Amino acid sequence: PVPGLADTGVLSNLCRWDCHWYLDISANGYSAVEVGGKPGATNYGFLPLFPLLVAAVSPAFNGNHLLAAVVLTNTCFLAALICIYRYARLLSVDHVPALLTVGLLCVMPQSLAFSAPYSESPFLLLLVVAMYWLRTGHYFAAGIAAAALSATRPNGVFYLFFAVACVIREFGIRAFFAPWQAPQRYVAIVLAPLGLFAFMTFCLISTGDAFAHPSTEFYGWGWRFALPWENLGMLLHHDAAHKFAAFYLVGVLLCSLLLIHHRWHEEFVLCVGLILLIMSGHGAAAQFRYWLVLFPVWIAVARILAPRPVASAITFAMLASINGLITCAWALQRPISF
């Protein structure tokens, strides 16, 4: 049993699907026992940092893991919005588009995931902090945040793309292959995958399989590698929820090209890498919330919208309307919301 999970009311409407897995880990730890009526599905399919944080703060909420998780995710989201505003200003973005970025993240379809007991809010916060500290030359702090990022979601290891691109941009390709000249530049690159490696070590010790995470993803949820265009075709020839995911995917990919327009090449490398990663997961229909954390894309979109108040109003109205429908579908546990 998970303390707080049986509660009814508003909080119970926030706990859907993956929430149950995270709260089970926070209350009971990892187990190789298959649950949820899905053969091969175990809670090793979820990385540990978020449930560990929930377990750590739950005593402050009388042991109620659901309440602790909701407070934690909302706190992380508010902190992430502040950091994203500062990151936009670091990129020489004006005050108005920086604020628009924050607004976009609040009304994007399925932004409810930032308030629900999911790992999206901690991931978003750690990602923007790791990127901000690297761009401001705080290499060790960036590395620690990046290591925590890869312990939150496995795609956090793709922060390496951003870190490598930043080092090459600032110091040149020759200096990149001469790390002994200034080793501090490579701290973030070295530390970034340590969170994922630590979890793999734990999996090896507890199950004998260092790849317990991808194993349960494959056998429990049927996730496997597919070429991005093959997965896109699969989504387009499926039901309405999959088609919606496909159109959203293409839209985000097109919006990411704005990063090149603004000469934010390091952010472009990171975002496109993460987009292609998700596009390569066969059967990955639960995609809306994966794009939400790509905040540099939304900074670029906000910069285009800022001098166009009518277009901004229409965009916000459309996104908020779709978000409202998805929020209702989420509460009703309809698959399109996921």
Side-chain angles (χ1 to χ4, degrees):
V2 178
L5 196 54
D7 294 350
T8 58
V10 176
L11 287 185
S12 65
N13 291 323
L14 290 172
C15 192
R16 297 288 184 260
W17 296 291
D18 290 0
C19 163
H20 297 271
W21 293 96
Y22 283 121
L23 295 188
D24 176 60
I25 296 169
S26 70
N28 305 311
Y30 282 95
S31 171
V33 176
E34 298 173 354
V35 296
K38 297 175 72 70
T42 73
N43 57 18
Y44 280 94
F46 301 86
L47 266 64
L49 184 64
F50 174 56
L52 282 175
L53 291 175
V54 173
V57 302
S58 61
F61 300 93
N62 199 29
N64 188 320
H65 286 243
L66 176 57
L67 178 58
V70 170
V71 172
L72 177 64
T73 54
N74 281 273
T75 301
C76 286
F77 184 47
L78 290 174
L81 293 178
I82 295 171
C83 293
I84 288 169
Y85 174 85
R86 294 187 61 186
Y87 191 90
R89 300 292 283 160
L90 182 67
L91 294 177
S92 300
V93 173
D94 292 337
H95 171 70
V96 171
L99 283 181
L100 279 176
T101 304
V102 171
L104 282 173
L105 281 165
C106 292
V107 301
M108 280 286 180
Q110 222 189 31
S111 60
L112 178 67
F114 289 131
S115 296
Y118 274 53
S119 61
E120 269 65 28
S121 288
F123 186 93
L124 178 66
L125 176 60
L126 289 167
L127 179 63
V128 63
V129 165
M131 293 171 68
Y132 184 89
W133 277 337
L134 186 63
R135 275 200 171 272
T136 54
H138 297 84
Y139 300 111
F140 183 74
I144 295 297
L149 185 69
S150 67
T152 305
R153 298 189 71 91
N155 56 349
V157 78
F158 271 53
Y159 173 82
L160 284 169
F161 289 176
F162 175 78
V164 169
C166 279
V167 172
I168 292 175
R169 173 192 55 81
E170 187 171 357
F171 303 106
I173 189 68
R174 290 187 178 181
F176 177 77
F177 289 104
W180 55 87
Q181 294 180 354
Q184 71 276 9
R185 304 169 186 167
Y186 303 85
V187 172
I189 297 174
V190 173
L191 293 182
L194 290 189
L196 181 59
F197 289 165
F199 182 60
M200 292 174 66
T201 301
F202 168 77
C203 291
L204 178 63
I205 294 171
S206 59
T207 70
D209 179 12
F211 299 95
H213 172 75
S215 294
T216 195
E217 292 272 313
F218 178 79
Y219 291 107
W221 284 272
W223 283 42
R224 60 179 177 81
F225 175 79
L227 294 173
W229 50 89
E230 291 180 359
N231 195 42
L232 181 61
M234 182 277 296
L235 294 174
L236 288 171
H237 291 87
H238 216 281
D239 58 24
H242 288 74
K243 286 186 174 69
F244 185 34
F247 288 124
Y248 199 175
L249 183 157
V250 173
V252 174
L253 187 60
L254 292 175
C255 287
S256 70
L257 298 177
L258 294 173
L259 295 169
I260 297 178
H261 173 72
H262 295 308
R263 300 184 183 278
W264 300 332
H265 300 109
E266 298 81 12
E267 286 76 10
F268 174 76
V269 169
L270 171 68
C271 291
V272 169
L274 288 171
I275 291 171
L276 293 177
L277 173 67
I278 300 303
M279 287 178 66
S280 299
H282 180 74
Q287 297 184 354
F288 311 146
R289 58 195 173 90
Y290 298 156
W291 314 129
L292 295 176
V293 298
L294 304 182
F295 71 91
V297 174
W298 312 127
I299 295 176
V301 171
R303 201 175 191 188
I304 296 295
L305 289 175
R308 300 170 175 85
V310 175
S312 297
I314 293 173
T315 300
F316 269 76
M318 291 177 59
L319 291 175
S321 298
I322 297 172
N323 193 26
L325 291 173
I326 287 184
T327 300
C328 293
W330 174 289
L332 296 172
Q333 302 191 63
R334 299 297 175 85
I336 194 171
S337 67
F338 188 67

